[in-house]
Amino acid sequence: MARPKALVLRTAGTNCDRETEYALTQAGFEARRIHIARLIENPATIAEFQFMVIPGGFSYGDDVAAGKILANQILHHLGDTVNAFISVDKLVLGICNGFQVMIKAGLLPWANVSPDGANRDATLAWNDCGKFEDRWVHLRCDSDKCVFVSKGDIIALPIAHGEGKFVPRDDAVTQRLLDGDQVALRYVDSEGNPGPYPVNPNGSVDDIAGVCDPSGRLMGLMPHPERFIEVTHHPQWTRGGIQQADGMILFQRAFEYLK
Amino acid sequence: MIYRVEIRSKESFGDPHAQTVFNQVRELGMDSVSGVRSARLFFLVGEFSQDAATRIADELLTDPVIEEYHVGSSGAPDDAALIEVHLKAGVMDPVAASAEKAVTDMGLQIEGIRTARRYELLGDVSDEQRRRVAGKLLANPVIEEIHFESHTPPEISTRQYDFQVVEVPIRDLDDEALMKLSTDGDMFLNITEMKAIRDYFKSAGREPRDVELEMIAQTWSEHCGHKTFRSDVVVRNNAGEIVEEIPNLLKNTVFGSTKELDKPWCLNVFEDNAGVIEFDENHAVCFKVETHNHPSAIEPYGGAATGIGGVVRDPMGTGLGASPVANTDIFCFGPTDMPPGDVPKGVLHPRRVMRGVVGGVRDYGNRMGIPTVNGAVYFDERYLGNPLVYCGTVGMLPADKCTKRQPAAGDAIICVGGRTGRDGIHGATFSSGELTHKHETEFSHAVQIGNAITEKKVLDTIMQARELGLYSAITDCGAGGLSSAVGEMGEQIGAEVHIDRVPLKYAGLTYSEIWISEAQERMVLAVPSDNVDRILKIFADEDVDATVIGHYGTENRKLRLFYDGTEILDLDMEFLHDGLPRPTKDAVYEKVETPSPAPPRRENYNQTLLDILASPNVASKEWIIRQYDHEVQGGSVIKPLVGITEDGPGDAAVVRPVLDSRKAVVISCGMNPRLGDLDPYQSALHAVDEALRNAIAVGGNLERTAILDNFCWGNCNKPDRMGTFVQAAKACYDAAMAYQTPFVSGKDSLNNEFQTDTGETIAIPATLLVSAMSVIDDAARCITADAKEAGNHLFLLGRTSGRLGGSHYLLVEGLETGNDVPEVDPVANRKLMLALQQAIEAGAVRSCHDLSEGGLAVAAAEMAFSGGLGMELDVEAMASESTANEQATLLAEDAGRFLVEITPEKYDAFLRITKDLPVGQIGRVTDTGRVVIKGAKNTLIDLPIEDAKAAWQKTFDW
């Protein structure tokens, strides 16, 4: 059986594309990194793939706002292409900068890439602490619908961002996300309970670390699953007791869904 | 038409940036300021409608969830003091460039965008306070303009350049006139060098053109030519008697040891931009460390960012191009708690320098996607006017592409990456001169502003071209710009360049400015003519500027420049590269032993330990470390922070640069400016030992460890500075030979002196940074410093003398130190390190921490609180000289020592491995949560780990 194919979208300033490609390969995918300019030249390429990953980095330097310029490029050059891709049974994952791009292009939370809908109901704002931070966090998987996580799991992953505070426009948006089972990941402590900084490292509303679209096939998250695919990635592996690399779960679940 | 767009946070949503500014305003002591508001400003230039401007503001520039926009000026607020900060014309503005691209993506035509920042200070704010906030916190006049009203910049008009060849008569100048020419032209050359230039043009039968003098001054600058390190040295004692004469100092010290050691795994050393050693069959690893001190003194953010940007290009320009996999950063600043009134004129406050430097390293390194994994920070008042910013980059390259390459005759010269502007003119010569309080204004053009994404794009595309083998040689454009890059690449065969083809940021640059500009993010390639079209397509495909500007190879090894077809430079490569007279330097050095005073005996040393933990050199640098992405690229094995709460000090970083391999690189450093003052020879031995100790402590392999030297010294034209320099260089040789760890790369920065407005000259302490990289076979064998389990045995490896000179103990006691620093025994330490390495490889060691500042007491406290456990130690069991008193056993800073944790199961194995070595079983890990250290009669230290950790963390809890 042919392996499912994953597209890792890259552009100027993308910098987690190689390790994301590697993680996908480890999970069983045939993965390929493609520059957005090639995709714009030939949008039909996307049809070869079942999975699109927008990896971490600083696309276009995060100038103006994180992920904004790449989102703008998708909106104005690939809107129809991406809307067609997500209308069938395919997956999209946005990691860190990729999550910011998905929010700002309208892929999340409502799976609608259009200039007047994008970035209107939710955003990722500057961390409350006002600066970029790299640290490990615990996450509780809270969605039954989301393809990438298993509800009830508590996993550890690193974050590394300056603009990761999830902010819905108002309470109605939050309620709609809850009603739709779209809150995929929340920042918690190792026991699974919510807490102040640094348990919630950036001040995200309702501790939200990752969301999915209404179908559960599109997901964005601030933490980096591709940075925990070996036991030796964990900051405490030398203390012993680290049995599995939690980041692999997301890629493996995507693989199980598509294979 | 210019549309002004103001964007601010919605009132219902906080503004973290304004909050940060507000906190810093309060730090300045301005209690009457009650709040800060901020706004981002965009100026859209072009012939489009107000509707289009509104659409750009709404869809692109504003985040509609949390921000609101206003097209037009909201004027000066009536309830607050207004400050606007605008970039000066011509200063790199990456946000503007990206926004222009995005507007084009929206299908709109735009001529240009400029950006600015706006602040409103609420409360009772005097004009003087407003000026202080603007000048001290918000703007740097080197690159920015301050406006106290709502300002819209005028449309930029660039002056066209009237091409005219300028000759500078030199043939008839006497010595005085030659020196005047050197000084007035910022050439920083001495009379011997000026005479050599005069003689060259006399025999050429013509006067030089301005660009020819510029190029010679750049090539012969201390920065590019390393004149001091290559000089012949005469060393005298204090009585003026010659005690030693050393021909070519570099060849006979640092470089000499590498040649004598002749390790087969050293693949490309001292010849290329970075030192290269073997990694595995298919890969080599390289490392380079640079300094960017003078630019960082003037503009800390831009200076440090371009410091990282510059050192990243070194591996990119090594062999046929390496891919960067890790960065290091080591800083030296003035005291950050200095009262603002005490800071000398022309100097930025150390706190601002530190914030700026960290921000620059963070933003450039994080954007490039290179993990910053290792570093250190030191503080001393003498770094006030002359902060030090060391940046290092480790890179990986294919084993078959790791040696230095030469261009072939006929190869096209292709300039790739950033466009050339007036930024960074005279960086090479400026960094070779002394800073004065006037430099802030005089040399502002020497400051470069970086754009990390441009460099990332260059890296992405060059790696593709490398895989396809499309170029024959590569180098970076660093100090000296194209002049240096093309001059070096074409050294053997000559080169011809058409300078008017170089792509510019703006019109108006003279041919000299184009040739020597140090504009960032540029690489130079030598490309066989058959490959030119293919390689240009790779660059064009990812929106990277690349231009053929000439070719390599001329008759008679000449360098020839043309502007619009007219020759403007014609120099012999031989004169450029070999015409520099090798100077003889005078050095004076003699050590007269001065003992340290005996510090008072105390009931216990709890407070001493807390004071050392809180002292700035020792205290936690978590505030810095967390701002760096230290895990990008997916190879992280040992992180800079370790332990049960992931915030304890690590000794060294470990990364796996090849994702499907368990092989790894250990990266560490060592430095001790405090010892440098007292005994430069011992100080250098300590630096090497510390770098190696740190590497071994996490599982490094001493037999596959290479080291790098970075000397930052005062003005070595002064014999006393040169005297200490020679001592340190000799120690480097001795250390490399004893540890059998070759130096593979190095760099020096030798004019770190600052002249205050009262005419006083302040030199930095003699500061040698030693960096180490070690290649290990199995990342999963690495260990960390945090204590692991109660009940395990603790051993102290290494001997402790009674010498306390230069210790942090004396520092926190406020005692003047003598120069009786602990003496390093590198041969003995090597044996010990090899034994420890064997024990770690055998899986016998659960945790290990090296002893450095604060000696055993600090090491024990750090291991205990990192592990969330306790420790009970008895110093009587240490291997100590009989002269060591209780203070020394506890707090002395002898090199070559480690505290290690061994499980009962591995106890016998460990004893076997360390048989006949100075090893003392000094205690156990406990679950009491207390660090207890007993002396002969009484308990010397008994502290809860929470207290020790809090002291260690509070200093930089910014």
Side-chain angles (χ1 to χ4, degrees), chain B residues 720-762:
Chain B
D720 60 328
R721 287 29 163 187
M722 193 63 202
T724 58
F725 185 77
V726 170
Q727 288 295 310
K730 289 172 71 171
C732 284
Y733 173 87
D734 291 345
M737 294 307 293
Y739 293 105
Q740 296 180 40
T741 51
F743 283 96
V744 293
S745 171
K747 197 79 197 249
D748 43 85
S749 164
L750 301 184
N751 270 297
N752 293 289
E753 307 212 351
F754 181 79
Q755 213 178 52
T756 66
D757 53 345
T758 56
E760 192 194 351
T761 296
I762 303 170

Side-chain angles (χ1 to χ4, degrees), chain B residues 133-146:
Chain B
V133 170
K136 298 271 176 209
L137 287 183
L138 301 177
N140 187 334
V142 174
I143 54 165
E144 292 164 326
E145 300 171 350
I146 295 166

Side-chain angles (χ1 to χ4, degrees), chain B residues 551-589:
Chain B
H551 64 265
Y552 287 106
T554 62
E555 266 178 52
N556 307 325
R557 269 181 81 196
K558 290 268 195 181
L559 180 64
R560 303 185 72 196
L561 292 195
F562 296 86
Y563 191 96
D564 274 348
T566 305
E567 183 191 273
I568 51 168
L569 180 146
D570 180 10
L571 291 173
D572 291 296
M573 283 292 190
E574 190 175 353
F575 173 69
L576 259 182
H577 291 284
D578 305 320
L580 171 65
R582 193 160 84 200
T584 298
K585 293 262 180 192
D586 288 315
V588 172
Y589 184 77

Side-chain angles (χ1 to χ4, degrees), chain A residues 10-16 18-19 22 35 37-38 41 58 60-64 68-69 72-73 76-77 104 115 118-136 158-160 165 167-169 226-227 230 232-239, chain B residues 13 16-17 40 55 58-66 94-95 98-99 101-102 105-106 362 366-369 453 456-457 460 464 541-542 623 626-639 643-644 646 656 659-660 779-780 782-784 786-788 846 867:
Chain A
R10 71 179 185 91
T11 189
T14 305
N15 62 32
C16 304
R18 287 184 183 276
E19 57 268 39
Y22 181 73
H35 195 280
R38 304 291 82 70
E41 279 167 10
F58 285 80
Y60 302 100
D62 278 357
D63 296 333
V64 181
K68 190 76 181 184
I69 309 253
N72 184 69
Q73 212 177 359
H76 294 284
H77 297 295
K104 286 166 189 178
N119 203 189
R120 300 286 155 171
D121 277 353
T123 197
L124 289 156
W126 267 95
N127 298 349
D128 276 353
C129 66
K131 58 182 191 287
F132 182 102
E133 276 203 350
D134 179 330
R135 63 168 72 243
W136 279 64
I159 56 152
K165 176 180 179 175
V167 183
R169 181 166 48 81
E226 81 285 5
R227 294 186 188 182
E230 310 265 355
T232 56
H233 280 138
H234 194 280
Q236 294 191 44
W237 72 268
T238 59
R239 301 189 68 79
Chain B
F13 194 79
H17 288 298
R40 301 186 284 136
R55 204 187 130 209
D58 182 60
E59 287 182 23
L60 179 67
L61 303 178
T62 310
D63 187 323
V65 177
I66 54 172
V95 175
S98 296
K101 177 201 150 33
D105 282 332
M106 293 171 73
R362 172 196 66 209
N366 291 356
R367 276 173 171 70
M368 278 292 287
I453 299 308
K456 178 71 165 95
K457 290 198 295 185
D460 290 348
Q464 294 170 43
D541 270 354
E542 302 200 8
W623 177 82
R626 290 233 181 271
Q627 295 189 60
Y628 301 150
D629 190 336
H630 45 257
E631 296 172 286
V632 62
Q633 297 195 19
S636 175
V637 176
I638 302 295
K639 301 178 207 301
I644 193 154
E646 297 160 20
R656 277 187 311 113
L659 291 178
D660 59 3
C782 289
I783 57 171
T784 50
D786 46 311
K788 301 296 189 302
R846 284 292 281 138

Side-chain angles (χ1 to χ4, degrees), chain A residues 167-185:
Chain A
V167 183
R169 181 166 48 81
D170 53 25
D171 292 346
V173 171
T174 312
Q175 197 55 50
R176 193 173 150 198
L177 289 171
L178 290 172
D179 292 346
D181 194 19
Q182 286 179 250
V183 178
L185 294 172

